[in-house]
Amino acid sequence: MGAGSPVDERDLPLAAGDRWRFECAEALAFLRSLPSSSIDGVITDPPYSSGGATRGDRMNATSLKYVHTGTIVQRHEFAGDNRDQRAFAYWCALWLSECLRVAKAGSPICLFTDWRQLPTTIDALQAGGWVWRGIVPWDKGPSARPQMGRFKSQCEYVVWGTSGASPDLESIGCLPGLFSERSRNDDKHHMVGKPTALMQEIVNICPREGVVLDPFSGSATTGVAALLEGRRFIGCEITESNYAIGRERLEACAADVSLEAHRAGQLALL
Ligand SMILES: C[S@@+](CC[C@H](N)C(=O)[O-])C[C@H]1O[C@@H](n2cnc3c(N)ncnc32)[C@H](O)[C@@H]1O
């Protein structure tokens, strides 16, 4: 396209001028609807198909697998968390290759996983065509998952990579190699929701004003973090209950962010 040519809206993942788009949809179908080479980064927290040592454990409802204390308020069940190991690996490779198609060359990808699914997740990332670049542990704090006579399961992991070679990254700067962030009940909107501050650190791997994609959004914490950090967001969630929570959070966050920007503009004029 030559300089000054009008932008074809069909090449954009979200309408010109919009800062976010969130749909109640199945991830593969949603990804297939997006234009190629249109996304600046994928940051996602797919269902781990984990939460148990045996196949029988994994087939349990998500509330039985992930709610361990009587003090946690009831949250909505979520989908897609009971694939067996081979199906999980194959399924991840499918949606990861669609993510690669929609990502611009050099874009980063960050995937959450736990210790059980770490090797499979790394394999699937590469099977999907991404260049695997490393692992960043997320330390959830000393009170996480104690086990008598055994090591605590205190960390989850962010597996990351890029779509081919990385471009010039001066504007991004150096990012941390370890995240230390505790979950707080007042910041948890999904049974396995991530802390907003953690996601704010992670979205910084995407360029400012870039479009961050999360095809397994849950309560849209990635989207809220993206908006707070001056990025744009596109995502989907399959369950209606979690989608409704995510949509409400995005609407509230977008209103706050634009109010802040408005105030900052007024201050700049003084
Ligand atoms: C681990 S949770 C994400 C939680 C999110 N990071 C948050 O902070 O709220 C994964 C989400 O993916 C959704 N999911 C599972 N399979 C899906 C699919 N095929 N398409 C879209 N969403 C799916 C689940 O319902 C669940 O809410």
Side-chain angles (χ1 to χ4, degrees):
M1 190 194 301
S5 309
V7 176
D8 187 337
E9 289 263 340
R10 285 169 303 186
D11 296 333
L12 300 175
L14 65 173
D18 285 358
R19 299 208 61 83
W20 62 278
R21 176 178 154 203
F22 187 41
E23 292 187 11
C24 189
E26 195 284 318
L28 257 178
F30 181 72
L31 288 167
R32 284 176 181 145
S33 74
L34 298 180
S36 299
S37 307
S38 61
I39 298 293
D40 298 278
V42 181
I43 301 197
T44 194
D45 177 22
Y48 296 174
S49 279
S50 187
T54 67
R55 184 158 186 273
D57 291 344
R58 290 178 196 192
M59 299 304 284
N60 279 330
T62 51
S63 54
L64 287 176
K65 289 193 287 185
Y66 297 113
V67 178
H68 293 273
T69 123
T71 59
I72 293 182
V73 290
Q74 180 60 43
R75 295 197 176 85
H76 302 282
E77 300 284 344
F78 61 95
D81 201 60
N82 47 18
R83 286 180 173 83
D84 68 26
Q85 194 67 2
R86 297 190 70 190
F88 177 74
Y90 184 67
W91 174 70
C92 286
L94 280 179
W95 60 259
L96 281 161
S97 62
E98 266 308 295
C99 286
L100 186 74
R101 180 188 63 77
V102 302
K104 294 177 186 168
S107 299
I109 185 165
C110 299
L111 299 180
F112 275 90
T113 191
D114 68 358
W115 65 271
R116 291 184 196 88
Q117 298 292 47
L118 182 59
T120 306
T121 303
I122 294 167
D123 287 350
L125 181 82
Q126 294 171 94
W130 293 85
V131 178
W132 176 38
R133 302 247 175 219
I135 302 161
V136 186
W138 166 36
D139 174 3
K140 298 187 274 187
S143 57
R145 299 275 178 132
Q147 307 186 72
M148 198 56 71
R150 296 286 181 268
F151 298 117
K152 292 174 183 170
S153 290
Q154 189 170 328
C155 293
E156 292 183 27
Y157 304 93
V158 177
V159 174
W160 73 281
T162 55
S163 152
S166 294
D168 177 15
L169 299 172
E170 288 274 314
S171 63
I172 305 279
C174 280
L175 301 174
L178 168 71
F179 303 115
S180 299
E181 202 65 55
R182 297 196 192 180
S183 292
R184 295 193 333 259
N185 260 349
D186 64 348
D187 181 41
K188 197 155 177 173
H189 306 269
H190 185 284
M191 199 181 298
V192 293
K194 299 295 178 280
T196 308
L198 168 70
M199 300 314 296
Q200 284 181 255
E201 287 198 75
I202 296 175
V203 297
N204 283 332
I205 198 169
C206 301
R208 282 191 80 79
E209 289 301 313
V211 178
V212 177
L213 166 67
D214 183 353
F216 302 98
S217 293
S219 63
T221 313
T222 306
V224 168
L227 297 184
L228 290 173
E229 294 299 314
R231 276 75 180 165
R232 291 175 290 156
F233 172 70
I234 181 165
C236 68
E237 163 60 37
I238 200 169
T239 60
E240 282 181 17
S241 49
N242 289 305
Y243 167 76
I245 292 168
R247 185 160 196 97
E248 205 171 294
R249 289 182 78 199
L250 285 164
E251 279 165 358
C253 179
D256 280 355
V257 166
S258 73
L259 187 64
E260 278 302 312
H262 184 67
R263 284 199 187 118
Q266 281 182 335
L267 284 178
L269 292 175
L270 291 177

